[in-house]
């Protein structure tokens, strides 16, 4: 098929005309179809076929085996396609890096465990999609950390104490309300009957705002809603709000849920609020803290993304 004159020379570089044809080849190979390639490129199938034929002549390589209404890559064509696809992916990554200011490297965020589990982590894919070159590290814990020497760029706290001598920004308020499964509520006749709490097991975060807050969330909620003797009800305590909620989802009891963290469970019906209209706004709020008033470009991008996510929820 090919003569010595039209075979691609061993040391010859691909020219701009061949790059255009290689793009056509990539689309045809991806679809395994000249017709589908024609639709994507707004061309006719015959024009696609002509371009591929010309590319094969210029390269001196048969790229496709043609049969009736079907094309398949040859072994050589498969190798060219894999190399081309890899190159295009790498080029696309470089373009994204340039568009984001070529911002790369590590960024370490410290967060309360429940907030990370229920709110931050489910949304983190969108940050990574926007800034793929930033290597994000998420650390969790209940203590307030010392930024010096820990390599932490920012922390997300849930507290009513305003941090001293640190930059901070309030993210959002929080409310608490009891949550359980429909099955548990039906079993103990809880719907709109908070007096039946005495038959339940209370599930709670005993580090809601300090290391020994015990069932303080339940006490605050009960006092607000006129429910006596809450201390006499059996309970199970955890050091994380999301663990109490997980226990509730498995019918271990009724949990004091933080509304922003259980909202998705309520929408799906995995959990219900048996006492509608009894939610209590917390004194504590979520806020983000950093040591410096002048954040790095990576941190500035993360903070902007974080605030945008809060505003869109």
């Amino acid at each position: 098929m090919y003569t010595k004159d039209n075979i691609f020379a061993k040391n010859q570089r691909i020219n701009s005309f061949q790059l255009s044809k290689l793009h056509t080849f990539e689309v045809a190979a991806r679809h395994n179809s000249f017709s589908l390639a024609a639709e994507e490129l707004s061309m006719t199938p015959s024009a696609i076929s002509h371009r591929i034929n010309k590319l094969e002549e210029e390269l001196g390589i048969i790229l496709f085996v043609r049969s009736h209404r079907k094309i398949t890559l040859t072994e050589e064509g498969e190798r060219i396609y894999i190399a081309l696809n890899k190159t295009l992916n790498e080029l696309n990554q470089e373009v994204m890096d340039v568009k984001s200011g070529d911002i790369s490297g590590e960024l370490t965020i410290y967060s309360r465990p429940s907030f990370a589990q229920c709110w931050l982590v489910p949304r983190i894919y969108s940050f990574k999609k926007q800034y793929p070159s930033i290597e994000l590290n998420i650390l969790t814990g209940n203590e307030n950390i010392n930024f010096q020497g820990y390599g932490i760029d920012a922390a997300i706290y849930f507290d009513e104490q305003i941090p001293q001598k640190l930059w901070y920004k309030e993210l959002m308020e929080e409310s608490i309300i009891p949550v359980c499964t429909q099955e548990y509520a039906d079993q103990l006749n809880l719907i709109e009957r908070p007096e039946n709490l005495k038959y339940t097991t209370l599930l709670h975060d005993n580090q809601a705002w300090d290391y020994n807050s015990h069932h303080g969330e339940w006490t605050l909620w009960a006092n607000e809603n006129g429910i006596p003797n809450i201390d006499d009800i059996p309970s199970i305590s955890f050091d994380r709000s999301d663990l109490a909620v997980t226990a509730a989802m498995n019918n271990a009891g009724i949990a004091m849920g933080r509304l922003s963290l259980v909202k998705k469970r309520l929408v799906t019906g995995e959990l219900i609020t048996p006492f509608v209209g009894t939610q209590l706004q917390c004194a504590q709020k979520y806020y983000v803290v950093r040591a410096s008033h002048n954040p790095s470009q990576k941190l500035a991008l993360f903070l902007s993304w974080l605030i945008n996510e809060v505003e869109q929820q």
Side-chain angles (χ1 to χ4, degrees):
M1 177 178 178
Y2 305 112
T3 66
K4 194 177 284 187
D5 293 333
N6 63 24
I7 292 178
F8 194 65
K10 186 174 182 179
N11 296 320
Q12 182 180 336
R13 292 177 61 87
I14 294 173
N15 59 44
S16 58
F17 298 105
Q18 289 158 343
L19 282 174
S20 176
K21 297 185 186 80
L22 281 168
H23 175 235
T24 303
F25 163 70
E26 187 277 332
V27 177
R30 177 159 36 90
H31 288 297
N32 269 325
S33 167
F34 288 168
S35 297
L36 293 178
E39 288 182 19
E40 180 172 328
L41 298 174
S42 299
M43 298 170 63
T44 64
S46 61
I48 297 290
S49 180
H50 178 72
R51 277 197 175 188
I52 299 298
N53 288 338
K54 286 292 294 181
L55 181 62
E56 288 177 324
E57 290 178 9
E58 292 167 8
L59 298 181
I61 299 171
I62 299 176
L63 300 171
F64 290 104
V65 175
R66 283 93 165 160
S67 57
H68 183 61
R69 294 186 178 179
K70 183 181 179 182
I71 59 169
T72 55
L73 285 167
T74 63
E75 184 178 341
E76 294 81 2
E78 183 76 28
R79 288 178 58 185
I80 298 295
Y81 174 67
I82 291 172
L84 181 60
N85 194 50
K86 179 182 177 182
T87 301
L88 288 173
N89 287 337
E90 290 175 351
L91 178 60
N92 185 61
Q93 182 64 63
E94 287 299 318
V95 170
M96 291 177 71
D97 288 349
V98 169
K99 288 175 68 176
S100 64
D102 201 17
I103 301 164
S104 60
E106 291 190 3
L107 183 66
T108 300
I109 305 299
Y110 179 86
S111 172
R112 291 291 182 259
S114 295
F115 184 83
Q117 168 77 14
C118 302
W119 195 96
L120 181 61
V121 172
R123 291 169 168 81
I124 208 67
Y125 75 96
S126 69
F127 176 80
K128 193 63 179 175
K129 185 177 180 180
Q130 291 180 53
Y131 308 106
S133 295
I134 297 178
E135 185 177 336
L136 197 60
N137 300 320
I138 306 293
L139 306 178
T140 64
N142 283 320
E143 67 274 10
N144 289 357
I145 51 94
N146 182 348
F147 282 90
Q148 302 300 320
Y150 284 82
I152 293 172
D153 296 286
I156 301 171
Y157 293 147
F158 177 64
D159 209 332
E160 59 184 319
Q161 300 295 324
I162 302 299
Q164 300 297 314
K165 299 180 181 179
L166 294 171
W167 179 96
Y168 74 94
K169 182 174 178 59
E170 182 182 317
L171 291 176
M172 58 184 175
E173 297 180 335
E174 183 61 281
S175 296
I176 54 175
I177 193 167
V179 294
C180 64
T181 63
Q182 182 71 57
E183 179 184 353
Y184 192 81
D186 291 343
Q187 179 185 343
L188 298 178
N189 194 22
L190 294 179
I191 303 298
E192 305 306 337
R193 299 193 66 177
E195 66 272 15
N196 285 345
L197 275 173
K198 61 187 176 184
Y199 303 119
T200 70
T201 298
L202 304 183
L203 310 170
H204 56 86
D205 178 5
N206 64 7
Q207 295 184 21
W209 45 80
D210 60 41
Y211 275 99
N212 191 28
S213 53
H214 195 42
H215 48 51
E217 286 181 313
W218 272 109
T219 300
L220 283 174
W221 176 87
N223 290 341
E224 179 70 19
N225 288 281
I227 300 170
N229 304 322
I230 199 78
D231 291 339
D232 298 334
I233 302 174
S235 67
I236 303 174
S237 64
F238 304 85
D239 64 354
R240 291 167 46 169
S241 177
D242 63 308
L243 294 181
V245 169
T246 298
M249 290 173 62
N250 289 277
N251 294 321
I254 180 168
M256 185 54 67
R258 294 178 193 158
L259 200 55
S260 66
L261 305 187
V262 300
K263 189 179 299 183
K264 184 177 179 181
R265 305 294 188 188
L266 295 174
V267 170
T268 62
E270 294 172 278
L271 292 170
I272 65 164
T273 54
F275 316 127
V276 176
T278 63
Q279 68 189 60
L280 173 66
Q281 185 167 320
C282 300
Q284 297 76 19
K285 299 177 181 179
Y286 296 100
Y287 54 88
V288 60
V289 179
R290 67 171 190 258
S292 171
H293 285 270
N294 298 306
S296 67
Q297 196 170 8
K298 288 179 296 185
L299 181 54
L301 289 173
F302 178 82
L303 295 177
S304 177
W305 169 83
L306 181 64
I307 293 166
N308 185 61
E309 287 292 316
V310 169
E311 290 174 349
Q312 289 186 4
Q313 71 171 351

